[in-house]
Amino acid sequence: MSIRRQERVTELIHQEISKKIPLLKDPGLGFITILAVRLSADFNTAKVFYSVLGTPEETRHTQEALERAKPAIRMHLRSLENLKNAPELLFVLDDSAAEAQKVLNVLSNLEKERLTNPPLPDSETDA
């Protein structure tokens, strides 16, 4: 299969899952964003990377809701004329945004501390 076709199918799956998830009626589904889709070379498996805004408990509920929604999402993908077979979906939580925010908070706190406690001049530290 051509790389271009794989890219087109990957983008199609990304768009369709992003459209389908807000329509799901599962109360466990939190505020979710589909970040990326990685389709295997044989088109049999799609890793769907997502992030959730909320507490760890809301994240867990969302993971469970996505597992329950897999059959409905695959059925929707099967109905698309561009796909002969819907790939097996693997939902992968991507918490890199939360980790990046933690790093930014630490850097911000260090900067505040540096501004409130300026370093002593070199001549005073030698004494």
Side-chain angles (χ1 to χ4, degrees), residues 82-103:
N82 297 22
L83 287 178
K84 293 177 184 171
N85 297 313
E88 183 67 34
L89 300 175
L90 300 172
F91 288 100
V92 179
L93 178 63
D94 182 347
D95 59 356
S96 59
E99 293 300 318
Q101 187 59 48
K102 288 179 187 176
V103 170

Side-chain angles (χ1 to χ4, degrees), residues 120-127:
L120 297 173
D122 285 339
S123 61
E124 291 181 26
T125 58
D126 292 336

Side-chain angles (χ1 to χ4, degrees), residues 18-80:
S18 294
K19 284 190 243 177
K20 184 71 175 168
I21 285 185
L23 303 176
L24 298 173
K25 302 293 185 213
D26 195 314
L29 207 55
F31 187 76
I32 182 172
T33 302
I34 303 300
L35 302 172
V37 174
R38 298 288 178 259
L39 189 60
S40 64
D42 62 3
F43 289 58
N44 287 333
T45 306
K47 285 186 180 180
V48 181
F49 295 89
Y50 68 96
S51 67
V52 179
L53 186 62
T55 65
E57 184 177 339
E58 290 169 328
T59 299
R60 185 177 53 78
H61 288 305
T62 298
Q63 288 172 324
E64 293 166 358
L66 287 172
E67 289 300 314
R68 289 190 297 270
K70 270 186 190 181
I73 295 170
R74 283 192 78 203
M75 189 181 320
H76 173 70
L77 292 175
R78 273 191 212 105
S79 72
L80 301 174

